[in-house]
Amino acid sequence: MNGFAPQIPPLDLLPEIDLLWGEIQSAVSDVIRSGQFVLGPQVRAFESEIAESLSVKHAIACNSGTDALVLGLRALGIGPGDEVITTPFTFYATAEAISLVGAEPVFVDIEPRTFNIDPSQIPAALTPRTKAVVPVHLFGHAADLDPILELSRRHGLTVLEDVAQAFGGRYRGRPLGSIGHAGAFSFYPTKNLGAFGDAGLLATNDDHVAELARKLRTHGSLRRDCNEMIGYNSRLDEIQAAVLRVKLPHVESWNSQRQTAAVTYRRLLADIAGVVPPLVEEYADHVFNQFTVRIIGRNRDAIQKALAQAGIGTNVYYSVPVHRLPVYADHQCHLPVAELAAREVLSLPMGPMLPNAAIGRVADALRAAFAANGEATVAA
Ligand SMILES: *Cc1c(COP(=O)(O)O)cnc(C)c1O
């Protein structure tokens, strides 16, 4: 049908690289010529620029978002015997980090409209072993933090925000990652601020948490031959920091370009009754790491296949909620809202430089797919 139309990938990273190509090249070659490759002046400058942009006291750069979660949990004192409440509708790394520090993830169902953890269901999951909550700001939309923080104060819990998908997003005007006791960021290439490889960062206002995270990042020590604990090698390298510093000043405008693309999607999808666009709560500045719709009244996988045949790349985040993954087979629980979302969600192409024409093609292809996949293909 669209045999000659160009493919539309789920995310095209090249436009932003092209835009900054000269700056990136000179930043990378400066690092190479400096002869300093790990945790040097670029990382330190990146940490202070991030701390300023989030209005937090401390930013500790590390190897990945997963490591940022692990460093954060350990620095907050979470370990074996502890239970940590989190969402089942997230990338596996959120729960994996909790398991990696020896604690037990406890999954609480999500809100149907934002896909984020439902604070009203947290009280029923509390036990004397509950030590922390890890809310995830999924797809770029803030989790509802006020009730979570209020509950945490009452029960003496700590809150670690998983901000991997929401750099630049806000909750009631405040930067995500600066509101809980700490915030864990990922700069994996597909995130709103993306490196040219793996990178992550922990943000906190707590001096003690920051110092512990810095130690843990470098084998449990800040000085040579002074290792105080079992830590990690989770240093960030200078080339990634230099690339991230070139991109950082542009993220805010890239995020508003994503918001503009979302507005266009909403307008063009409005006449397709079975495509439910994402809701934005009044408390959130959504930064649309993903534009994730629900497919209602049709088989989601059939719609995804039809889009692929029209040259449109989409993703299903997530087809299996974390509590249903084989690794957590012993976590017998039924979380109906997350399980339904896993069957209905489809993330459409999104990015700061997504052309309007591409959004139009996606909408047309969805309309055609809905017409072609009649009631016979409705999931049982
Ligand atoms: C990407 C992601 C992570 C992990 O980050 P990495 O940098 O890939 O280790 C954690 N949580 C969520 C919600 C993510 O999307």
Side-chain angles (χ1 to χ4, degrees):
M1 204 164 42
N2 277 304
F4 297 103
Q7 301 276 316
I8 302 174
L11 169 68
D12 186 0
L13 291 171
L14 286 181
E16 66 183 56
I17 294 171
D18 281 340
L19 180 79
L20 301 172
W21 184 233
E23 267 183 88
I24 288 170
Q25 270 189 313
S26 66
V28 170
S29 56
D30 286 352
V31 168
I32 295 169
R33 284 170 190 287
S34 78
Q36 270 191 283
F37 293 105
V38 176
L39 286 190
Q42 291 296 324
V43 171
R44 283 194 292 278
F46 176 62
E47 289 177 336
S48 67
E49 288 159 10
I50 289 278
E52 197 189 315
S53 88
L54 298 174
S55 308
V56 293
K57 244 170 116 178
H58 307 283
I60 301 99
C62 63
N63 244 322
S64 68
T66 307
D67 278 12
L69 288 165
V70 169
L71 296 176
L73 288 165
R74 277 202 55 195
L76 289 166
I78 310 301
D82 297 337
E83 289 177 2
V84 178
I85 289 174
T86 193
T87 167
F89 203 60
T90 178
F91 179 52
Y92 168 55
T94 311
E96 187 187 31
I98 295 166
S99 297
L100 273 170
V101 305
E104 197 66 45
V106 174
F107 301 107
V108 165
D109 212 348
I110 58 170
E111 294 178 330
R113 288 144 65 93
T114 64
F115 303 111
N116 283 322
I117 191 167
D118 181 350
S120 73
Q121 298 198 42
I122 294 177
L126 294 171
T127 78
R129 290 166 60 198
T130 310
K131 289 285 154 47
V133 184
V134 180
V136 178
H137 306 301
L138 200 72
F139 303 146
H141 188 293
D144 193 2
L145 289 176
D146 277 348
I148 295 172
L149 290 165
E150 158 65 20
L151 206 105
S152 300
R153 267 189 297 273
R154 233 177 315 129
H155 296 273
L157 315 177
T158 54
V159 175
L160 173 62
E161 297 172 63
D162 182 338
V163 208
Q165 299 185 8
F167 185 86
R170 286 170 183 270
Y171 177 77
R172 301 196 187 283
R174 295 168 69 192
L176 298 179
S178 72
I179 303 169
H181 297 88
F185 291 86
S186 166
F187 306 115
Y188 183 77
T190 61
K191 315 291 185 178
N192 288 32
L193 173 57
F196 287 174
D198 279 308
L201 180 136
L202 188 75
T204 183
N205 285 309
D206 186 315
D207 299 342
H208 176 68
V209 169
E211 185 179 313
L212 254 173
R214 280 188 195 286
K215 284 181 185 166
L216 288 164
R217 169 177 75 172
T218 49
H219 302 291
S221 109
L222 294 178
R223 278 170 293 133
R224 193 170 297 186
D225 298 331
C226 191
N227 306 76
E228 301 165 40
M229 63 195 80
I230 308 294
Y232 310 88
N233 170 5
S234 188
R235 304 172 297 223
L236 183 64
D237 71 73
E238 290 282 286
I239 288 180
Q240 298 307 337
V243 169
L244 288 164
R245 291 186 67 208
V246 172
K247 287 187 169 193
L248 179 60
H250 300 272
V251 178
E252 202 178 313
S253 67
W254 289 342
N255 282 346
S256 52
Q257 288 168 253
R258 288 173 183 270
Q259 290 166 346
T260 304
V263 169
T264 308
Y265 261 128
R266 254 177 239 291
R267 184 164 47 78
L268 298 183
L269 297 174
D271 65 314
I272 315 175
V275 176
V276 181
L279 174 112
V280 184
E281 291 285 3
E282 102 290 339
Y283 55 72
D285 284 335
H286 197 331
V287 290
F288 294 101
N289 180 247
Q290 301 296 333
F291 187 85
T292 302
V293 300
R294 282 179 190 262
I295 302 294
I296 313 278
R298 295 289 187 281
N299 182 298
R300 185 265 323 274
D301 295 341
I303 299 291
Q304 184 181 34
K305 208 169 142 204
L307 291 179
Q309 279 159 0
I312 293 160
T314 58
N315 282 302
V316 173
Y317 301 122
Y318 297 90
S319 65
V320 181
V322 180
H323 68 290
R324 294 290 188 193
L325 291 172
V327 59
Y328 294 126
D330 60 335
H331 284 58
Q332 295 293 336
C333 57
H334 179 46
L335 303 170
V337 185
E339 286 158 28
L340 179 63
R343 289 196 295 275
E344 293 182 341
V345 288
L346 188 63
S347 296
L348 304 180
M350 178 43 100
M353 287 145 209
L354 181 67
N356 279 335
I359 302 175
R361 262 185 63 201
V362 174
D364 291 345
L366 268 169
R367 202 172 292 109
F370 261 73
N373 288 267
E375 299 302 324
T377 59
V378 172

